[in-house]
Amino acid sequence: KDINGSSVTSSRGLTITSQGGDGNGETILAQREREAGTDAKGEYRFDQLMDGAKRLEVTASGLIPQTVDLNLQPAETREHVDFVLTAGLSVSGRVRDPQGAPISGANVEIKAIGESTFTGGKIVTDLDGRFQLSGLPPGLKQLLVFKSGYASVWKHVEPGQADDLELTMAFAPKVIGLVTNVQGDRVTNFDVGVSYEGSSWMNAGGTYPGGRFEVPIHSDTPCHVTVRSARLPRRRAWERR
């Protein structure tokens, strides 16, 4: 139910996750076991679960998610695991390019400060560049907006006090180059990789007409571009610090 006592219905708003070992003696949430929705009365049911440690999470649009940890014994029936969901806060805004044109299809995610997991699911900006994240708990959050071809935007926001944000995404810089062998002949089959502070990205490789490539740079952190070919030694093509 919600805080007013009304039943909350959802086509698929509850998940139960089994716990397992990480191989080092630590217990972790390892496998999503079942999903279910609530009926018109807000009731739900899971049958034929494995015994052991579980985490049950319930979500509903516009309401703050809740979780409960359970430890089920073999053949146990656990009844009246009830939830009261409270209304969540929201963050909304509009994303534009440097010329003021709206950017559609940008991904929008959010996380609590100090946490590593972002939420937001498949929230993307609409044709007018607008977005809204709802059902958020109070507290300072970090907002991330990203789309290929643009530099990502990071912003600290306070849900409930961050409506109608105006965000500008700069066009991502590019590295454009030409690959040749030592004789000056152009190489057309190679991979181009970009590394950012120890993490790397490598494209799928392929054929580059005339030996020319174009790589977008999606971060303002130090990075380098590397070209690889089975026929040539690895070359660091460009580096930014």
Side-chain angles (χ1 to χ4, degrees):
K1 298 179 181 292
D2 64 20
I3 197 171
N4 299 313
S6 300
S7 298
V8 176
T9 60
S10 171
S11 61
R12 194 163 297 277
L14 294 100
T15 59
I16 193 163
T17 306
S18 299
Q19 291 185 340
D22 66 354
N24 298 312
E26 296 292 332
T27 298
I28 59 173
L29 288 166
Q31 178 180 354
R32 177 169 291 188
E33 187 175 343
R34 296 287 177 83
E35 293 183 347
T38 54
D39 61 19
K41 296 180 180 180
E43 298 179 347
Y44 69 93
R45 182 184 181 93
F46 287 101
D47 292 311
Q48 298 180 337
L49 295 173
M50 297 182 293
D51 58 273
K54 314 286 181 187
R55 174 166 294 171
L56 177 61
E57 179 182 23
V58 57
T59 59
S61 179
L63 303 176
I64 298 176
Q66 287 190 23
T67 61
V68 62
D69 290 329
L70 307 171
N71 197 338
L72 301 180
Q73 302 302 314
E76 178 185 4
T77 297
R78 187 74 62 93
E79 296 182 339
H80 304 297
V81 182
D82 298 332
F83 297 89
V84 177
L85 303 182
T86 57
L89 304 174
S90 66
V91 172
S92 64
R94 191 176 190 183
V95 183
R96 304 173 187 264
D97 68 19
Q99 282 71 50
I103 298 176
S104 63
N107 296 276
V108 184
E109 297 184 349
I110 198 167
K111 72 178 182 71
I113 301 298
E115 292 187 357
S116 59
T117 302
F118 281 89
T119 60
K122 297 185 180 298
I123 301 298
V124 296
T125 54
D126 62 17
L127 293 177
D128 292 324
R130 298 187 183 277
F131 68 90
Q132 181 171 1
L133 296 164
S134 59
L136 303 173
L140 190 64
K141 304 285 189 294
Q142 190 171 42
L143 183 72
L144 168 63
V145 183
F146 61 97
K147 183 179 181 179
S148 179
Y150 296 88
S152 299
V153 173
W154 300 79
K155 185 176 180 64
H156 286 176
V157 296
E158 184 79 32
Q161 303 177 28
D163 291 323
D164 299 322
L165 297 172
E166 289 290 338
L167 304 175
T168 300
M169 298 185 74
F171 296 112
K174 300 178 182 179
V175 174
I176 301 173
L178 174 66
V179 179
T180 65
N181 61 21
V182 294
Q183 287 78 33
D185 301 322
R186 298 189 180 190
V187 178
T188 58
N189 290 281
F190 53 86
D191 294 320
V192 181
V194 181
S195 297
Y196 301 96
E197 293 186 336
S199 63
S200 62
W201 165 87
M202 179 67 68
N203 75 357
T207 301
Y208 294 83
R212 295 188 178 276
F213 67 89
E214 180 176 307
V215 179
I217 305 299
H218 297 295
S219 174
D220 58 3
T221 58
C223 67
H224 64 262
V225 178
T226 301
V227 175
R228 301 173 188 264
S229 175
R231 303 176 184 177
L232 300 172
R234 185 178 70 175
R235 298 289 183 182
R236 178 173 293 181
W238 179 83
E239 184 172 3
R240 180 180 64 186
R241 294 190 178 276

